[in-house]
Amino acid sequence: MIYNFDELEFKILTVDEFCHTDGKFNVSGRPHSALSFRTEGEGRFTIEGKSFVSKPGDVLFIPHNVSYEVEYVKSKSIVFHLVNCNYMQAENVEISNFAPVKVLFENAMKEWKERSCVNGMKSAIYGILQTIADEKTPRLESNDTVFLQCVQYIKDNFCSPSLSLKEICEKFFVSEATLRRKFNKYYNVSFIQFLSRLRFDKAFSLLLEGTSSVSSIARSCGFDDEKYFSRAIKKKFGATPSSLMR
């Protein structure tokens, strides 16, 4: 999958928002690939014999030189056109918590229109793909009860700044090496990355609500250092906490 492809290579051609005319179309293969986030409407695609519906909040990838059929219904998307992309699998990724991905796409488009910074855009795309990878996790084995208990404990207590791998291991009588290995197996991330994702997701939601101060949101999500929190939010979502609140 594109969101977990280590050898991914590409160059930025354009970044823009597109409103598609309603109707059915046969689209010939194009010399560029397209990575898009659907903001409105639907796109009903048939690509290489596979049919699917791309809905608001979905991320769609169409490789270069691939023809397809599509029916658009009030469709609007933010699209990265890429050249020299070495990934060739068409796919539509459904994301349950798509708000952070939407912000990343919107900020990347704004940055491109203001500065056309290629390195910044490549960094933005890798950030988008990593955010999708964090959201798309494999199903846990139901008989791994100890690990399931550890995960639930983390979800119940991730807002505590003092929560640590050592604390969890001592509570559930499991070694740190085993717990690290299982996070990599089931989630393809480290314990710290898993914990940070929970904290950032909660912080993102609270910032969008805009009903609390940045410092109180940082503390309530397990961050002791407000300056670090602000830098981390800016790096992950491409926007400062105060701008997200606005």
Side-chain angles (χ1 to χ4, degrees), residues 15-16 78 80 101-117 120-125 128 237-238:
V15 183
D16 211 339
I78 298 172
F80 292 89
V101 178
K102 182 175 185 287
V103 169
L104 290 172
F105 267 91
E106 290 174 339
N107 286 338
M109 179 174 63
K110 179 181 178 182
E111 181 79 5
W112 177 262
K113 289 184 176 182
E114 290 178 351
R115 299 198 303 163
S116 296
C117 178
M121 286 304 96
K122 295 196 76 170
S123 176
I125 289 177
I128 288 167
F237 298 113

Side-chain angles (χ1 to χ4, degrees), residues 58-232:
D58 290 0
V59 173
L60 172 69
F61 179 77
I62 301 177
H64 64 278
N65 297 330
V66 172
S67 301
Y68 58 92
E69 299 176 0
V70 61
E71 179 180 5
Y72 290 121
V73 180
K74 299 179 181 178
S75 175
K76 183 184 293 186
S77 300
I78 298 172
V79 184
F80 292 89
H81 285 139
L82 314 174
V83 293
N84 299 337
C85 184
N86 63 339
Y87 189 76
M88 290 300 297
Q89 180 177 333
E91 60 185 337
N92 185 73
V93 182
E94 297 181 9
I95 308 171
S96 57
N97 181 26
F98 62 80
V101 178
K102 182 175 185 287
V103 169
L104 290 172
F105 267 91
E106 290 174 339
N107 286 338
M109 179 174 63
K110 179 181 178 182
E111 181 79 5
W112 177 262
K113 289 184 176 182
E114 290 178 351
R115 299 198 303 163
S116 296
C117 178
V118 173
N119 288 335
M121 286 304 96
K122 295 196 76 170
S123 176
I125 289 177
Y126 283 120
I128 288 167
L129 298 180
Q130 183 58 57
T131 301
I132 298 172
D134 289 344
E135 204 273 348
K136 304 298 289 184
T137 56
R139 183 176 299 175
L140 299 179
E141 296 175 7
S142 58
N143 60 351
D144 197 342
T145 55
V146 174
F147 184 68
L148 289 172
Q149 290 173 351
C150 292
V151 170
Q152 189 58 53
Y153 184 79
I154 295 168
K155 290 181 177 180
D156 292 339
N157 297 278
F158 69 88
C159 291
S160 170
S162 63
L163 183 65
S164 66
L165 184 68
K166 181 179 179 181
E167 173 190 338
I168 297 164
C169 291
E170 290 178 349
K171 182 175 181 63
F172 294 98
F173 304 102
V174 61
S175 72
E176 293 187 16
T178 297
L179 199 54
R180 288 195 185 96
R181 185 173 65 253
K182 289 189 176 183
F183 271 107
N184 284 320
K185 174 183 177 181
Y186 292 125
Y187 291 102
N188 198 32
V189 295
S190 67
F191 162 75
I192 292 298
Q193 289 171 321
F194 181 82
L195 177 61
S196 296
R197 186 180 74 188
L198 293 174
R199 289 173 172 171
F200 281 124
D201 283 351
K202 181 175 177 63
F204 183 85
S205 297
L206 292 175
L207 288 168
L208 290 186
E209 289 178 4
T211 56
S212 302
S213 66
V214 173
S215 59
S216 64
I217 290 174
R219 289 193 301 272
S220 68
C221 295
F223 296 94
D224 280 334
D225 188 335
E226 182 183 343
K227 291 183 179 179
Y228 165 78
F229 172 73
S230 297
R231 291 195 303 269

Side-chain angles (χ1 to χ4, degrees), residues 44-62:
R44 301 165 186 169
F45 291 85
T46 299
I47 305 178
E48 298 179 327
K50 296 181 179 179
S51 298
F52 56 86
V53 178
S54 181
K55 304 179 297 299
D58 290 0
V59 173
L60 172 69
F61 179 77
I62 301 177

